[in-house]
Amino acid sequence: MSALAFILLALLLVGPVPALLARAKWPLRAPRAAVVLWQAIAVAAVLSAFSAGIAIASRLFVPGPDGRPTTITGELAVLGLPLWALHVTVLALTLLVGARLIVAGIRVAVATRRRRSRHRMLVDLVSVAPSADTAPACAHSHEIRVLEANEPLAYCLPGVRSRVVVTKGTLSRLSDGELTAILSHERAHLRARHDLVLEAFTAVHAAFPRFVRSGSALYAVRLLIELLADDAALRSAGPAPLARALVTCASGRAPAGALAAGGPTTVVRVRRLAGRPNSALLAATAYLAAAAVLVLPTIAVALPWLTELRRLFGV
């Protein structure tokens, strides 16, 4: 029963729940709480998948005459070869999913940092420092780099040696207030380390098979991350300068591994600036839902199973 409950919970958290949440409109008014809810769903889905596999495979290690768990072949005669092979296969698949998750996390982290390091080196080589005459809002900022390009573009490179990169086209097209908004947006990404949240979701997305995973969750989290940075810029410059700055930089394409102010989500974000403000009630509800997603399945399903394991291994 524990294995069946874990399987059903994992299927819900991988399929219908993310699909419904990705189509919902309320996260636009509670982006921070929505990110927490997405994180809770992802963690609960992974834990449920692991728990389902381990709950099934635990039948291979029932107590022997001495009260100790038997070896993996000890239940072959009891279960029969077909059922025993099924349990061994489930155990192997569970371990494989865990290994894929670890490998995907390492690959995403290494590849992302390698790209950022290479691009940071190129930016430092070809960029110029902002001057007080051309960009007062950028002056005396050691992390800002200006590229000789006419395309309006602004993005950041997170990390230990972070950079905020703007082009000459951005400086020439944006007013001081708009430039302040766009810089506040990028600095919010760096300050809150939004890149780490995206890395975690990217690793989970890469670890699961294609017929299971969905790009809607990754897209939704990327949008929410941009909304969080927009909220920080909104407090610094106001909605009108931010909206104009986003529209100006909308067509700019940032390199892989960077977080850009523009992009395909610009229309949604600009419309949001003219809509209703963030809702504390929606945020509180989302936080409660996130806690329920993690806590309630643990109380209802995991605790009885952990009690059985404690009895089995004499812990």
Side-chain angles (χ1 to χ4, degrees):
M1 291 301 295
S2 294
L4 179 61
F6 278 127
I7 291 173
L8 293 176
L9 181 60
L11 291 176
L12 284 174
L13 294 176
V14 169
V17 172
L20 290 173
L21 185 56
R23 291 196 297 266
K25 299 300 182 183
W26 67 262
L28 299 179
R29 300 185 60 204
R32 191 178 305 278
V35 169
V36 173
L37 180 57
W38 273 112
Q39 290 174 320
I41 290 173
V43 171
V46 171
L47 292 179
S48 297
F50 278 117
S51 299
I54 294 174
I56 294 174
S58 64
R59 293 193 61 187
L60 296 170
F61 304 98
V62 298
D66 58 352
R68 294 291 181 179
T70 59
T71 61
I72 195 170
T73 59
E75 293 300 301
L76 178 58
V78 177
L79 296 174
L81 182 58
L83 193 56
W84 179 85
L86 176 62
H87 283 69
V88 172
T89 301
V90 170
L91 177 60
L93 289 175
T94 302
L95 296 176
L96 178 61
V97 170
R100 280 178 60 92
L101 188 59
I102 295 173
V103 171
I106 294 174
R107 281 182 176 176
V108 169
V110 172
T112 301
R113 280 155 181 77
R114 185 177 297 163
R115 285 193 297 266
R116 286 176 186 160
S117 178
R118 187 183 300 117
H119 190 76
R120 186 184 297 112
M121 180 183 64
L122 292 175
V123 165
D124 288 344
L125 287 174
V126 303
S127 65
V128 296
S131 63
D133 296 332
T134 58
C138 299
H140 310 296
S141 298
H142 67 279
E143 83 277 12
I144 296 179
R145 297 292 184 272
V146 180
L147 296 179
E148 295 281 352
N150 292 324
E151 179 186 20
L153 177 63
Y155 62 89
C156 65
L157 295 169
V160 177
R161 295 184 298 115
S162 60
R163 297 287 185 271
V164 174
V165 182
V166 296
T167 61
K168 285 288 185 67
T170 303
L171 299 181
S172 63
R173 286 172 172 83
L174 298 184
S175 65
D176 289 343
E178 294 163 1
L179 186 57
T180 298
I182 217 72
L183 293 178
S184 299
H185 176 99
E186 299 303 333
R187 284 166 173 158
H189 281 316
L190 298 178
R191 184 171 56 253
R193 292 309 305 264
H194 292 154
D195 57 302
L196 298 181
V197 178
L198 290 177
E199 276 187 26
F201 278 93
T202 303
V204 173
H205 179 78
F208 279 89
R210 298 191 178 205
F211 64 89
V212 175
R213 70 191 185 194
S214 171
S216 59
L218 197 56
Y219 173 82
V221 172
R222 284 173 178 164
L223 173 60
L224 292 172
I225 291 300
E226 293 302 324
L227 298 184
L228 290 176
D230 286 346
D231 286 344
L234 190 64
R235 292 189 291 269
S236 299
L242 175 59
R244 290 194 296 266
L246 292 178
V247 171
T248 302
C249 299
S251 60
R253 295 182 62 86
L259 298 175
T265 61
T266 302
V267 174
V268 176
R269 292 157 55 198
V270 171
R271 287 177 178 172
R272 172 179 177 263
L273 294 175
R276 290 183 293 176
N278 289 346
S279 170
L281 179 60
L282 287 175
T285 304
Y287 285 129
L288 289 175
V293 166
L294 287 176
V295 174
L296 291 183
T298 302
I299 296 176
V301 181
L303 288 183
W305 177 62
L306 292 175
T307 302
E308 180 65 19
L309 282 182
R310 189 178 297 110
R311 184 192 64 81
L312 178 63
F313 288 96
V315 178

